[in-house]
Amino acid sequence: MRRNEMKLKITTAAAIALTILYMLGIFGRQALPLFAETDHINPASISVTDGDTIRIADERIRIMGMDTPEKGHLAKCTYERELAKQASARLRQIIDQGNIEIERDGTDRYRRTLARVYSDGRDVAGIMIAEGLARPYEGGRREGWCATAPFTRH
């Protein structure tokens, strides 16, 4: 009987260890957040990648709750490219003007941190959406931007 008890203890310990490793993202899958982590960040340490992505040192952060137009060669039309420039510039202004809080919540398939970002307690995604520079987005397929362009030239 003692041998079976020992096997059960080893199996249980292995299952617990594998669960912890999975939750931490060791196996290359999306890590499950153990808890939401909030940090107060100095705006000067934040660089803006595009309208919905920022970087702090080596950490890329995808701002949750919004989608902004693609910039550069990823844009499908001139309208999208121009709106992307405006969204990036406005995000920079919002970050520079406020006390920034970042509430991390896991990672996406590109290994970016997913996070809610707040400026002086206001949700950055909400600000960008209200100003027409972003759309609400909670994952899944995204709409294109060119169909809503005031002109249709590409």
Side-chain angles (χ1 to χ4, degrees):
M1 198 64 170
R2 291 180 81 72
R3 181 171 233 179
N4 285 340
E5 287 176 8
M6 183 62 119
K7 282 184 181 179
L8 181 61
K9 286 181 181 179
I10 291 171
T11 303
T12 303
I16 291 170
L18 287 173
T19 301
I20 291 170
L21 291 174
Y22 172 76
M23 291 177 77
L24 295 174
I26 302 299
F27 297 120
R29 294 195 157 296
Q30 178 174 329
L32 299 175
L34 298 174
F35 54 87
E37 177 185 338
T38 304
D39 285 331
H40 296 270
I41 305 294
N42 177 352
S45 68
I46 300 172
S47 62
V48 172
T49 303
D50 60 26
D52 53 29
T53 308
I54 58 175
R55 180 183 286 271
I56 302 170
D58 292 334
E59 182 183 24
R60 293 178 307 145
I61 299 172
R62 172 66 161 83
I63 301 172
M64 295 172 62
M66 72 172 172
D67 178 51
T68 59
E70 299 297 331
K71 65 183 209 175
H73 71 281
L74 297 174
K76 304 267 193 272
C77 63
T78 303
Y79 173 72
E80 181 175 12
R81 191 172 300 108
E82 291 304 314
L83 195 58
K85 288 178 189 175
Q86 292 174 32
S88 295
R90 179 63 177 130
L91 180 58
R92 178 80 261 166
Q93 286 178 333
I94 293 168
I95 288 171
D96 287 343
Q97 292 173 350
N99 294 313
I100 303 302
E101 290 180 52
I102 297 177
E103 187 176 290
R104 292 169 175 81
D105 190 17
T107 58
D108 68 7
R109 65 183 177 166
Y110 303 109
R111 297 183 186 223
R112 296 177 296 188
T113 299
L114 296 172
R116 297 279 177 190
V117 178
Y118 301 92
S119 176
D120 288 333
R122 294 176 58 214
D123 181 33
V124 169
I127 296 169
M128 296 285 284
I129 292 166
E131 293 180 9
L133 298 170
R135 292 185 182 141
Y137 180 71
E138 295 299 334
R141 188 169 173 84
R142 297 176 299 156
E143 283 185 50
W145 289 87
C146 298
T148 60
F151 52 88
T152 57
R153 294 176 67 199
H154 294 271

